Amino acid sequence: MTFDRRTFIAASAATAAAPLLPACASPGTSNAAATDAAPYPAFIGKSTQTLLPRGKAPRIVICGGGWGGLTTAANLRQLAPQAEVVLLDRNPVFFSSPLSNMWLVNMVDGELLTHDYLRVANKLGYKFFQAEVQQIDRDRRIVTTSVGTLDYDWLVLAPGIRYNYESWFGNDRQAADAARTRFPSAYASNSEFLTLKRALHNFKGGELVMNLPPPPQRCPPSPYERACLIAWHFKTNKIKGHITILDHKPSIMPIGQGYKLAFEELYKDFITYVPNAHVQEVDPFNQRIRTAAGDHKFDHAILMAPHKAGDLAWLAGTVSKTSDGWADMDEVTMQIKGDERAYVIGDAIAAVSTLPFRYYPKSAHIANRLGRIVAYQISEKLAGRAPERRLPDNLCYMVVNGTPGQALNVQFDYDFDAQGRVRQVQRDYNERTPALFKDDFRWADFMFEEMFAGIAPPVLPYPAYRA
Ligand SMILES: Cc1cc2nc3c(=O)[nH]c(=O)nc-3n(C[C@H](O)[C@H](O)[C@H](O)COP(=O)(O)OP(=O)(O)OC[C@H]3O[C@@H](n4cnc5c(N)ncnc54)[C@H](O)[C@@H]3O)c2cc1C
């Protein structure tokens, strides 16, 4: 480990101060009790201590170790091996949302979705800390976490989404907590997936309601996939359950025709699709939801509050008055507006175009592509070169049947129009096929190889995998 003079002095001062720390043992401890306290062990993390001594290498701190953050870290190790890369996530392990709908109904094992942060960090040569990021000071370039502070030269935020329960419940935390804990949507937090899975497997029959929030939302086709797979679970296990999909949108989007046929041909007695169901009131205590398309009482529900940029994007001051709850950034480089050393990627980002599609789909595939783009941006800048403008692509497989395994697919390509705006071409594959089902696993394999084995191509575009 290399120390420069300034950090060495700071580190020595911190060590010298350590024996004095019992006086401020923990919040709420009285001074009288604290005098009896044992000396504070140096490695119990405190947000006031330096987490990692500073070496000479430029330091890149990535906040959020989901799809975007892990891809960025893996690609940075390849493109900028001279840099120190630090990845921070609050979770001890990575759990994949893609493929999780199959896991909910026991079509795949949890091991396929779960990955070990420390193993990948050691293997690829970056540092990982399991830590809650609590504060980001972009003026001083300091990240404060639950276990210490880190200064940085470059910052990448990949915080995912938050649920905007405020839009349903105002500041009524009790109602928001009841919705979140009793009827979680399992779209953002790992423990919600477990709660939902348990609820589904304890469900003996009755009415299951799931709502889809207004766009943009995380992975727009995946709630329909989830409805199909839950219906498949009811059908194969002879559970007298019925699913009502309350969709904010006027029709199923994307892959509308493919899903419509799956609902009608495979799950006629199990799924009812209701369009234009704008949520007006949610009552998690009496198990009711009122929408513009009617009122529904439920036995269980998957209640999905509208999505916005993850809390971290707000803590870092990246959400502007005009970015509609998403992180404001340059549409191509992903650089946070007004900050040449900070980037934001993945689901948290704001609109990328003034054309009607406006947002990239909030998908793992896009988060992966933006992770690559930002790793490239930073590595070029570190090398003193001007990065070129690069755009992502998107690809999503959606499973609609378990016996036989069948899936649909949607693809997106991007380029610039004559005015320099990002343009989108969408292709829906509405025919459900076993080949697409197989390709879903192949896609996940490619992604996991890149994120967890560092097998990433050094340049974009990726030799694009196409159905
Ligand atoms: C059911 C379901 C199915 C899906 N299927 C697909 C699919 O088939 N294909 C596809 O492309 N996409 C799919 N997606 C979408 C995909 O999961 C997201 O688009 C993707 O995870 C976005 O990546 P991200 O890096 O932006 O956010 P995330 O992957 O959510 O990562 C954010 C990370 O930040 C961490 N974090 C947040 N705040 C803090 C903090 N304060 N301190 C420390 N850590 C923090 C979180 O713990 C998390 O690990 C699906 C999503 C769901 C829910």
Side-chain angles (χ1 to χ4, degrees):
M1 182 71 64
T2 327
F3 286 84
D4 65 22
R5 200 180 125 69
R6 189 171 57 89
T7 48
F8 179 75
I9 291 170
S12 313
T15 316
L20 301 176
L21 285 175
C24 47
S26 66
T29 310
S30 75
N31 279 342
T35 51
D36 293 335
Y40 202 91
F43 296 155
I44 292 185
K46 296 179 82 181
S47 56
T48 46
Q49 71 196 20
T50 303
L51 189 54
L52 195 61
R54 195 60 197 264
K56 289 214 173 79
R59 178 181 284 170
I60 306 164
V61 173
I62 304 168
C63 299
W67 282 78
L70 280 160
T71 307
T72 311
N75 279 269
L76 275 170
R77 289 301 298 140
Q78 299 220 347
L79 298 174
Q82 76 279 27
E84 178 189 48
V85 177
V86 185
L87 180 68
L88 304 169
D89 202 285
R90 52 161 71 116
N91 291 326
V93 290
F94 169 87
F95 183 82
S96 171
S97 298
L99 310 184
S100 69
N101 285 332
M102 283 190 273
W103 166 82
L104 281 178
V105 296
N106 289 338
M107 273 172 68
V108 298
D109 197 90
E111 271 192 32
L112 183 68
L113 312 187
T114 312
H115 294 264
D116 172 350
Y117 280 120
L118 282 181
R119 186 163 166 268
V120 57
N122 290 341
K123 180 172 175 157
L124 301 188
Y126 60 81
K127 296 193 170 66
F128 170 74
F129 290 95
Q130 186 194 342
E132 175 83 25
V133 179
Q134 297 173 328
Q135 213 181 329
I136 295 176
D137 183 339
R138 288 194 289 118
D139 291 332
R140 293 166 59 221
R141 295 189 190 143
I142 293 177
V143 172
T144 303
T145 80
S146 46
V147 295
T149 63
L150 275 167
D151 53 6
Y152 65 81
D153 298 302
W154 302 85
L155 176 74
V156 180
L157 297 179
I161 56 160
R162 74 184 297 271
Y163 302 122
N164 181 10
Y165 283 116
E166 295 89 341
S167 67
W168 280 359
F169 302 115
N171 59 7
D172 183 349
R173 269 192 186 258
Q174 232 190 336
D177 281 347
R180 184 177 58 81
T181 55
R182 294 175 60 186
F183 307 112
S185 69
Y187 259 70
S189 128
N190 291 355
S191 74
E192 289 181 10
F193 284 99
L194 294 163
T195 307
L196 175 58
K197 183 164 185 168
R198 199 170 41 250
L200 286 178
H201 290 271
N202 288 335
F203 192 72
K204 300 283 180 272
E207 180 63 14
L208 172 66
V209 160
M210 56 190 286
N211 78 289
L212 271 72
Q217 69 175 95
R218 169 167 276 188
C219 198
S222 61
Y224 310 121
E225 176 190 63
R226 187 180 276 177
C228 287
L229 291 178
I230 295 173
W232 173 79
H233 164 73
F234 288 167
K235 196 169 144 182
T236 39
N237 293 298
K238 303 201 177 355
I239 296 165
K240 287 193 180 345
H242 176 265
I243 304 158
T244 300
I245 304 173
L246 300 173
D247 195 346
H248 182 95
K249 300 191 288 297
S251 62
I252 304 167
M253 278 183 257
I255 348 177
Q257 185 61 12
Y259 274 123
K260 185 170 178 291
L261 291 176
F263 295 167
E264 287 169 6
E265 293 172 0
L266 301 175
Y267 309 116
K268 190 164 64 63
D269 300 330
F270 294 91
I271 295 181
T272 302
Y273 174 76
V274 183
N276 296 312
H278 307 183
V279 172
Q280 294 172 333
E281 198 184 333
V282 179
D283 180 349
F285 304 106
N286 295 302
Q287 303 187 193
R288 283 180 182 281
I289 181 165
R290 189 159 61 80
T291 77
D295 290 5
H296 296 265
K297 180 124 179 69
F298 52 80
D299 298 300
H300 191 70
I302 297 173
L303 294 179
M304 206 186 302
H307 295 170
K308 295 292 173 197
D311 295 1
L312 258 184
W314 301 74
L315 284 174
T318 69
V319 182
S320 73
K321 283 192 179 135
T322 54
S323 63
D324 200 21
W326 302 98
D328 217 352
M329 75 305 147
D330 179 275
E331 294 82 349
V332 178
T333 64
M334 300 295 129
Q335 192 178 303
I336 292 171
K337 291 217 172 116
D339 185 343
E340 61 172 23
R341 292 301 185 95
Y343 295 83
V344 60
I345 56 169
D347 287 359
I349 67 169
V352 294
S353 182
T354 50
L355 292 169
F357 78 92
R358 300 200 61 222
Y359 293 86
Y360 285 142
K362 297 195 177 293
S363 73
H365 192 98
I366 287 279
N368 165 283
R369 293 325 200 224
L370 298 181
R372 286 184 190 176
I373 287 173
V374 162
Y376 162 76
Q377 291 274 333
I378 295 175
S379 67
E380 287 295 283
K381 288 188 179 169
L382 282 172
R385 294 188 290 263
E388 61 190 49
R389 281 150 60 88
R390 291 178 170 179
L391 292 174
D393 65 300
N394 187 42
L395 182 61
C396 277
Y397 296 91
M398 291 288 131
V399 177
V400 292
N401 195 5
T403 37
Q406 291 174 319
L408 311 170
N409 175 260
V410 58
Q411 305 186 7
F412 299 81
D413 285 307
Y414 298 94
D415 65 2
F416 296 107
D417 72 4
Q419 284 90 54
R421 293 172 300 189
V422 179
R423 190 166 58 170
Q424 172 178 281
V425 176
Q426 175 177 342
R427 275 166 294 152
D428 289 3
Y429 290 76
N430 287 299
E431 187 188 343
R432 55 177 190 272
T433 67
L436 289 174
F437 178 74
K438 247 172 80 187
D439 287 348
D440 192 9
F441 291 94
R442 202 155 82 123
W443 171 84
D445 273 353
F446 275 130
M447 291 289 172
F448 292 156
E449 285 239 306
E450 177 169 349
M451 290 153 69
F452 303 111
I455 302 172
V459 288
L460 285 178
Y462 193 64
Y465 171 66
R466 283 286 180 258

